[in-house]
């Protein structure tokens, strides 16, 4: 219900409560039994065990299970009892399931953080008596009393207020506390940030006091609706998960089809059921890249470590790669693009802007500082200010000019505090034995009370023309999204001479929450990288547009939209219009989620940055959510995929660069692994079709897939990020691994490896007599090492630096040693079905194995193709 559109009396009538006496204890008990406690509820909790087993529905996990079962079957049928490989595969399956469970628990953590924000106790009037009760016992219709420093325990309509100001930045995005007015009756369509007669759960009273009637509790409050959104919103699959899912399905279907064909061929040729089955098992093992999930996990983990050194903590591994695919970054304004700290940026006299160190400017700052209640706090050598952000900004500016505004020098005798109704504050202070009445407040309120103005030549009469000039100056400053404060004064005859009239206009102070110094550069880099930066804020549209234009987010070709305008657009209309929108102002949490989903409906990969409670649902709905570590709420952190520990928007640019490099490296690893798997498949398949003996045993294929495949693939994940990576366009989520002809490359390379393996098998049997299986096994393993080196760069690997990847050098040495051990050590030789090779046989294997690198380098030199990894 639109409680802000009703008077306090009408609200009490609708809620069947008494404004003066509140509810009776018996009535409150009935209501809490009917509506439940004033607490935030999440989804019905699912047990960890049930969550764990739900992870095994994934198609890729099913493929891994098939590989595990096949590996167990191979060990049992061959009677060798070697179950090392299936145990490794099983560990991979369990690890993937654990990662899935962690992701699903993020929403519950966000709910728990919201619960911690709820006020533990509340001051309530029941039956005419004031008492403190647990905040969870509040019901609609209760009368609550609040004062400065209290956290609001429920949504409520103000009954009375005295100079009340409430900090709602975590809910609305506004950095300045909102002045409240109990007497205001507003239009039903009024936006959340403008509802001056309402207070909301989990916000904080910064100044003043009030009484209010509770209108909503628990999940019906604004913060409760955010909790509901978090519980309902499912995090989308990352582009990496989608692509690997497609690869897994294709491999699985292909493996089943080829195995069926080979098994039928064996039966038709009367090769026997068991031999035909073993050959089909060999093909299935060859088709499934058992090491792929482990390789991807390790590569992503290394990326996480690199990002942590750059002040970005990744909470969900695939999020690293998603950053590189981001096409839109939706950023909250307050605290993310700006400093969340009001700062004086302009001081004006009657004639225009003046330097802050000029005598007139110093006088304006002094009088404004004396007419403030902010406090100076010294922490060692460092000085900080606490209180209202507007006043702390004034005191900070005065301190920069070495202005002494201490209470010892200037004694305050009287104060008429600021209120939303008066829009001004006044004090009487002593200065050099004389008394001054000092006033600061809204220019449109202060200026009509002035009859003179301060100039460099002294005090002059304030004519109509001068008054008009000052008003134009105020409008110009407000048009530049500055919060403008007018300062005036006059001599006071005594401490009782407090009438705020016949004043002398001193000047105007303009302040704003300034952009972070590094934000403009970060926005520029994003745009060069083909990423669209978008500002989403609960602040006023004029302020939002000014900041967006200063940062380069918006220009004359783009549009700005308010929350009210969003409400008039359907989801399809929003998705159509959103392409030109760069600024969204006065928006609610529901709006933010709609915006993110509208971008995603256009095929965009969306990153959302933010720090407030109001950002949490959109952080979770986005492809990747980035929360601020210092100023961010626990709710935002727990809903996000990544936390920026330095609260620096520019850190996300570094993360995007790392993400793109990681995507490149994962793509290289997939390229390498699938190329070698195709080689294995074709070698076994064509040996069957041509009537050859099986060139590779299942255990040999498992060895290749888990050892001589995986180690070089992991090394590919450590390749350095290419220098021009942030000048490329983002990779669309719909773009597969195999676009731009990469699939053809993989097929041809795989066919070449398979042909070399069959050639080694034939030479071993026909030329050297009876060592074809061992030579094929060695040739396949060493071909894959050469292929890994070839895959390091789309250009010449010698130009990139043949030994520049230290991890690849180590992987090559380890693989060569292990493969040689399998052949030369009798116990291992017996396990893997190999025989020792002599020097001519080893030289033949080396010659054949080096061909992928030689042919690959020649092909790169002749084609001069662009990278397949962008």
């Amino acid at each position: 219900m639109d409680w802000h559109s009703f008077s306090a009396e009408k609200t009490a009538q609708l809620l069947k409560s008494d404004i003066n006496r509140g509810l009776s204890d018996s009535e409150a008990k009935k209501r809490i039994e009917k509506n439940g406690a004033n607490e935030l509820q999440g989804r019905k909790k699912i047990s960890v065990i049930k969550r764990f087993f739900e992870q095994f529905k994934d198609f890729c996990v099913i493929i891994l299970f098939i590989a595990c079962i096949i590996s167990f079957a191979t060990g049992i049928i061959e009677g060798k009892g070697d179950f090392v490989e299936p145990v490794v595969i099983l560990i991979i399956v369990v690890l993937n399931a654990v990662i899935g469970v962690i992701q699903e628990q993020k929403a519950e953590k966000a709910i728990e953080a919201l619960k911690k924000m709820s006020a533990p106790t509340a001051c309530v009037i029941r039956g005419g008596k004031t008492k403190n009760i647990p905040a969870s016992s509040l019901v609609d219709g209760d009368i609550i009393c609040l004062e400065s420093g209290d956290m609001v325990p429920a949504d409520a309509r103000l009954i009375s207020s005295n100079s009340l100001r409430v900090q709602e930045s975590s809910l609305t995005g506004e950095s300045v506390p909102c002045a409240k007015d109990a007497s205001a009756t507003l239009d039903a369509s009024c936006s959340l940030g403008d509802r001056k007669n309402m207070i909301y759960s989990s916000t904080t009273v910064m100044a003043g006091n009030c009484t209010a009637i509770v209108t909503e509790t628990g999940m019906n409050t604004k913060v409760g609706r955010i909790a509901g959104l978090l519980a309902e919103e499912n995090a989308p699959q990352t582009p990496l998960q989608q692509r690997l899912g497609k690869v897994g399905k294709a491999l699985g279907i292909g493996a089943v089809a080829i195995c069926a064909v080979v098994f039928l061929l064996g039966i038709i040729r009367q090769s026997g059921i068991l031999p035909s089955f073993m050959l089909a098992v060999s093909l299935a093992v060859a088709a499934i890249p058992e090491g792929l999930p482990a390789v991807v996990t390790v590569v992503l983990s290394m990326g996480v470590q690199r990002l942590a050194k750059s002040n970005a903590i990744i909470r969900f591994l695939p999020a690293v790669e998603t950053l590189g695919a981001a096409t839109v970054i939706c950023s909250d304004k307050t605290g993310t693009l700006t400093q969340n700290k009001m700062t004086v940026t302009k001081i004006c006299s009657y004639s225009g802007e003046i330097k802050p160190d000029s005598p007139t400017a110093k006088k304006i700052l002094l009088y404004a500082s004396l007419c403030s209640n902010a406090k100076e706090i010294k922490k060692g050598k460092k000085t900080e200010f606490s209180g209202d952000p507007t006043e702390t900004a004034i005191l900070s500016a005065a301190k920069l000019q070495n202005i002494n505004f201490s209470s010892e020098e200037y004694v305050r005798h009287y104060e008429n505090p600021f209120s939303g109704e008066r829009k001004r504050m006044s004090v009487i202070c002593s200065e050099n034995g004389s008394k001054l009445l000092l006033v600061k407040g809204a220019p449109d309120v202060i200026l009509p009370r002035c009859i003179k103005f301060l100039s460099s030549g002294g005090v002059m009469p304030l004519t109509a023309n001068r008054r008009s000039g000052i008003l134009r100056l105020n409008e110009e400053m407000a048009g530049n999204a500055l919060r403008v404060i007018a300062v005036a004064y006059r001599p006071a005859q005594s401490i009782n001479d407090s009438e705020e009239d016949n004043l002398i206009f001193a000047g105007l102070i303009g302040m704003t929450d300034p952009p972070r110094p590094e934000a403009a550069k970060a926005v520029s880099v994003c745009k060069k990288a083909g990423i669209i930066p978008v500002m989403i804020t609960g602040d006023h549209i004029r302020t939002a547009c000014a900041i967006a234009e200063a940062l380069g987010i918006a220009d004359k070709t783009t549009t700005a939209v308010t929350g009210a305008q969003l409400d008039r657009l359907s989801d399809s209309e929003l998705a159509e219009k959103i392409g030109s929108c760069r600024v969204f102002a006065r928006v609610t949490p529901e709006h933010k989620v709609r915006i993110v989903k509208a971008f995603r409906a256009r095929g965009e990969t969306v990153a959302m940055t933010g720090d407030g409670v109001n950002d949490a649902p959109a952080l979770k709905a986005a492809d990747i959510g980035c929360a601020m570590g210092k100023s961010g709420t626990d709710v935002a952190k727990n809903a996000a995929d990544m936390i920026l520990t330095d609260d620096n928007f520019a850190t996300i640019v570094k993360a995007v660069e790392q993400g793109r490099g990681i995507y490149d490296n994962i793509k290289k690893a997939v390229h390498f692994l699938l190329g070698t798997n195709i080689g294995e498949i074709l070698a076994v398949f064509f040996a069957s079709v041509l009537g050859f003996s099986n060139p590779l045993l299942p255990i040999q294929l498992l060895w290749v897939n888990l050892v001589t495949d995986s180690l070089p693939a992991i090394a590919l994940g450590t390749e350095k990020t290419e220098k021009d990576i942030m000048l490329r366009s983002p990779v669309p989520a719909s773009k597969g691994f195999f676009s731009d002809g990469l699939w053809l490359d993989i097929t041809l390379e795989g066919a070449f490896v398979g042909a070399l393996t069959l050639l080694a098998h034939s030479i071993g049997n026909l030329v050297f007599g009876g060592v074809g299986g061992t030579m094929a096994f060695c040739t396949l393993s060493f071909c894959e090492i050469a292929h890994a080196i070839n895959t390091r760069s789309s250009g010449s690997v010698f130009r990139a630096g043949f030994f520049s990847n230290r991890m690849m050098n180590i992987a090559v040495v380890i693989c060569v040693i292990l493969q040689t051990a399998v052949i030369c050590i009798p116990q291992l030789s017996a396990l893997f079905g190999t025989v020792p090779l002599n020097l001519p046989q080893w030289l033949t294997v080396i010659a054949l194995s080096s061909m992928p690198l030689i042919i690959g380098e020649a092909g790169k030199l002749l084609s001069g193709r662009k990278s397949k990894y962008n």
Side-chain angles (χ1 to χ4, degrees):
M1 191 174 288
D2 298 320
W3 297 108
H4 56 276
S5 64
F6 302 122
S7 65
E9 292 75 16
K10 179 65 174 177
T11 301
Q13 182 184 343
L14 291 170
L15 292 170
K16 298 179 181 179
S17 181
D18 187 303
I19 283 181
N20 297 313
R21 294 183 56 80
L23 300 172
S24 64
D25 287 332
S26 59
E27 178 61 23
K29 185 178 180 180
K30 289 178 184 177
R31 295 192 182 191
I32 203 167
E33 287 175 354
K34 180 182 178 182
N35 301 322
N38 178 34
E39 294 175 335
L40 301 179
Q41 306 296 326
R43 286 175 175 174
K44 185 179 179 181
K45 289 190 176 181
I46 302 172
S47 69
V48 174
I49 294 174
K50 185 176 180 181
R51 274 210 184 104
F52 179 78
F53 283 107
E54 282 182 351
Q55 306 305 313
F56 298 102
K57 296 177 182 177
D58 184 78
F59 194 86
C60 289
V61 174
I62 293 171
I63 293 297
L64 287 173
F65 259 130
I66 292 171
C68 191
I69 293 167
I70 289 171
S71 185
F72 270 116
T74 302
I76 292 169
I77 292 170
E78 293 188 343
K80 294 183 179 179
D82 179 22
F83 302 118
V84 174
E85 290 85 358
V87 168
V88 171
I89 297 171
L90 196 61
I91 290 172
I92 293 169
V93 171
V94 171
L95 180 63
N96 286 339
V98 169
I99 291 172
V101 170
I102 291 171
Q103 166 64 5
E104 289 185 4
Q105 287 180 324
K106 287 199 299 179
E108 286 189 8
K109 288 183 180 180
I111 297 295
E112 292 302 318
L114 279 167
K115 286 182 179 179
K116 290 178 182 178
M117 288 183 65
S118 299
T121 60
C123 179
V124 63
I125 299 174
R126 283 189 179 170
K129 296 181 180 179
T130 302
K131 59 177 74 174
N132 287 317
I133 64 170
S136 59
S137 299
L138 283 176
V139 296
D140 55 300
D142 264 330
I143 308 300
I144 54 175
C145 305
L146 298 168
E147 58 187 24
S148 180
D150 288 344
M151 184 176 281
V152 181
D155 290 3
R157 169 62 165 91
L158 291 173
I159 297 171
S160 64
S161 61
N162 180 30
S163 303
L164 183 67
R165 307 190 78 177
V166 180
Q167 179 58 270
E168 298 178 337
S169 64
S170 65
L171 193 63
T172 66
E174 289 194 53
S175 55
V176 178
C178 180
K180 298 294 184 176
D181 181 2
S183 64
T185 302
L186 307 169
D187 187 75
S189 62
C190 181
S191 65
L192 183 66
D194 293 323
R195 296 175 188 175
K196 296 185 177 182
N197 56 13
M198 297 289 296
I199 52 177
Y200 294 102
S201 176
S202 297
T203 60
T204 305
V205 178
M206 299 298 291
N209 55 66
C210 69
T211 58
I213 180 167
V214 173
T215 55
E216 306 287 358
T217 60
M219 295 300 288
N220 293 322
T221 63
K222 292 298 179 186
V223 75
R225 291 175 68 181
I226 293 175
L229 286 171
L230 286 171
E232 294 167 8
E233 194 61 51
N234 292 316
Q237 275 198 322
T238 70
L240 179 64
Q241 290 172 319
Q242 294 170 12
R243 291 181 179 116
L244 289 179
K246 290 176 184 177
V247 170
K249 286 183 180 180
L251 288 172
I253 294 168
V256 171
I258 293 174
C259 289
V261 169
V262 169
F263 184 72
L264 288 174
L265 280 174
I267 298 298
I268 292 170
R269 289 177 176 173
Q270 298 181 343
S271 300
I273 293 177
L274 184 59
S276 299
F277 173 72
M278 291 306 299
L279 186 59
V281 164
S282 297
L283 268 175
V285 171
I288 300 169
E290 291 85 359
L292 180 59
V295 168
V296 171
T297 299
V298 170
V299 172
L300 290 174
S301 297
M302 290 188 293
V304 167
Q305 292 173 5
R306 288 200 298 268
L307 284 167
K309 294 176 182 177
S310 299
N311 300 313
I313 297 173
I314 301 296
R315 301 183 66 248
F316 179 45
L317 281 182
V320 180
E321 177 271 340
T322 313
L323 270 172
T327 57
V328 175
I329 297 178
C330 295
S331 175
D332 183 57
K333 176 183 73 68
T334 306
T336 307
L337 290 166
T338 66
Q339 299 175 26
N340 197 17
K341 179 183 178 182
M342 293 299 288
T343 305
V344 172
T345 58
K346 195 172 187 178
I347 302 173
C348 295
S349 67
Y350 72 96
S351 59
E353 185 174 3
I354 54 177
K355 293 182 178 181
D357 58 353
S358 66
T360 302
K362 286 185 174 182
K363 188 169 237 182
I364 294 169
L365 287 173
L366 171 63
Y367 288 170
S369 299
L370 294 174
C371 189
S372 297
N373 286 323
K375 303 295 182 185
E376 183 178 4
I377 302 171
K378 291 188 177 180
K379 295 183 178 180
K381 295 181 179 180
K382 190 177 180 181
T383 300
E384 295 180 356
F385 299 96
S386 66
D388 181 271
T390 299
E391 295 186 343
T392 59
I394 292 170
L395 264 61
S396 296
K399 195 71 176 179
L400 284 174
Q401 301 305 322
N402 297 314
I403 297 171
N404 180 16
F405 47 79
S406 67
S407 57
E408 296 175 2
E409 185 79 16
Y410 302 95
V411 180
R412 181 182 295 186
H413 302 285
Y414 164 86
E415 176 187 340
N416 192 352
F418 177 90
S419 71
E421 296 83 2
R422 286 170 22 84
K423 294 184 179 180
R424 64 187 183 275
M425 170 185 178
S426 63
V427 297
I428 295 177
C429 291
S430 294
E431 180 187 29
N432 298 326
S434 59
K435 295 179 177 58
L436 285 176
L437 174 70
L438 307 173
V439 187
K440 77 173 189 340
D444 59 330
V445 173
I446 299 296
L447 202 56
R449 297 174 176 273
C450 296
I451 59 172
K452 297 178 181 179
F453 71 91
L454 177 66
S455 70
S456 56
V459 176
M460 308 286 288
L462 184 61
T463 63
N465 286 338
R466 289 292 185 198
R467 194 182 300 272
S468 298
I470 294 170
L471 287 173
R472 282 195 299 271
L473 192 59
N474 171 50
E475 290 172 4
E476 180 187 328
M477 293 171 72
N480 290 324
L482 295 179
R483 181 179 177 85
V484 186
I485 301 295
V487 181
Y489 71 100
R490 69 169 174 82
Q493 301 304 315
S494 68
I495 59 173
N496 297 316
D497 184 12
S498 60
E499 289 297 322
E500 299 163 341
D501 53 17
N502 299 322
L503 300 174
I504 302 167
F505 174 79
L508 301 173
I509 300 174
M511 61 191 72
T512 186
D513 180 12
R516 291 178 175 272
E518 65 283 343
K521 183 180 178 181
V523 167
S524 176
V525 172
C526 285
K527 292 170 81 171
K528 287 178 182 177
I531 301 168
I532 302 171
V534 176
M535 179 189 289
I536 304 179
T537 179
D539 214 338
H540 293 278
I541 192 165
R542 186 165 60 181
T543 304
C545 287
I547 297 293
E549 288 174 8
L551 291 172
I553 291 175
D555 55 37
K556 294 179 180 178
T557 63
T558 58
T559 57
V561 180
T562 65
Q565 291 170 323
L566 280 175
D567 288 332
R568 294 193 288 269
L569 296 173
S570 65
D571 289 344
S572 59
E573 288 173 334
L574 177 58
E576 183 179 345
K577 185 177 180 180
I578 204 166
S580 63
C581 298
R582 296 293 179 271
V583 177
F584 295 89
R586 304 307 271 174
V587 295
T588 63
E590 292 89 344
H591 289 145
K592 293 187 177 188
V593 175
R594 280 192 69 199
I595 292 163
V596 169
K597 288 185 174 180
F599 274 118
R600 295 192 72 244
R602 291 172 59 91
E604 307 286 1
T605 300
V606 183
M608 170 73 186
T609 69
D611 60 354
V613 173
N614 60 330
D615 297 323
L619 285 172
K620 190 165 184 286
D623 293 283
I624 178 165
C626 310
M628 300 296 133
K630 286 184 179 178
S631 61
T633 59
D634 286 343
V635 184
K637 292 175 188 175
N638 288 328
D641 302 285
M642 182 176 80
I643 300 170
L644 308 179
T645 59
D646 58 356
D647 283 15
N648 193 334
F649 179 78
T651 301
I652 197 172
V653 179
K654 297 178 186 176
V656 168
E657 183 176 355
Q658 291 280 2
R660 289 189 175 189
I662 289 165
Y663 173 74
D664 270 10
N665 291 343
I666 289 175
K667 196 170 181 181
K668 289 174 184 175
V670 171
H671 175 176
F672 162 68
L673 288 172
L674 294 188
T676 56
N677 274 55
I678 287 174
E680 296 166 21
I681 292 169
L682 293 178
V684 176
F685 180 73
F686 280 105
S688 172
V689 171
L690 296 172
F692 295 171
S693 60
N694 189 5
L696 297 160
L697 300 175
I699 195 169
Q700 292 174 348
L701 289 168
L702 273 173
W703 171 264
V704 170
N705 285 354
L706 291 172
V707 180
T708 57
D709 268 6
S710 298
L711 291 178
I714 291 171
L716 284 172
T718 65
E719 284 292 327
K720 293 180 180 178
T721 302
E722 296 183 24
K723 293 180 180 179
D724 66 340
I725 203 162
M726 289 304 284
L727 298 177
R728 305 177 191 169
S729 297
V731 180
S734 58
K735 189 174 182 179
F737 276 118
F738 314 117
S739 55
D740 299 328
L742 185 59
W743 179 246
L744 179 61
D745 284 356
I746 291 173
T747 305
L748 291 175
E749 291 160 1
F752 188 52
V753 170
L756 290 170
T757 303
L758 282 178
L759 181 58
H761 181 258
S762 300
I763 293 172
N765 287 334
L766 298 175
V767 177
F768 296 110
V771 294
T774 302
M775 286 186 66
F777 181 32
C778 288
T779 300
L780 177 63
S781 292
F782 293 145
C783 270
E784 295 191 357
I785 293 171
H787 182 42
I789 295 170
N790 184 51
T791 310
R792 283 184 52 204
S793 174
S794 56
S796 172
V797 73
F798 294 98
R799 190 177 301 162
F802 192 85
F803 297 106
S804 61
N805 187 332
R806 181 171 170 271
M807 286 295 292
M808 182 62 77
N809 300 336
I810 294 171
V812 168
V813 171
I814 291 173
C815 287
V816 169
I817 291 172
L818 290 176
Q819 184 63 32
T820 305
V822 165
I823 306 302
C824 298
I825 297 175
Q827 293 84 352
L828 293 176
S829 179
L831 180 64
F832 285 91
T834 62
V835 295
L837 300 177
N838 58 33
L839 183 59
Q841 292 164 355
W842 274 118
L843 290 174
T844 303
V845 167
I846 292 170
L848 292 173
S849 302
S850 62
M851 294 307 294
L853 181 58
I854 295 169
I855 299 299
E857 283 295 304
K860 293 173 185 176
L861 185 64
L862 293 172
S863 64
R865 295 169 301 178
K866 290 184 178 180
S867 174
K868 298 291 180 184
Y869 306 113
N870 56 44

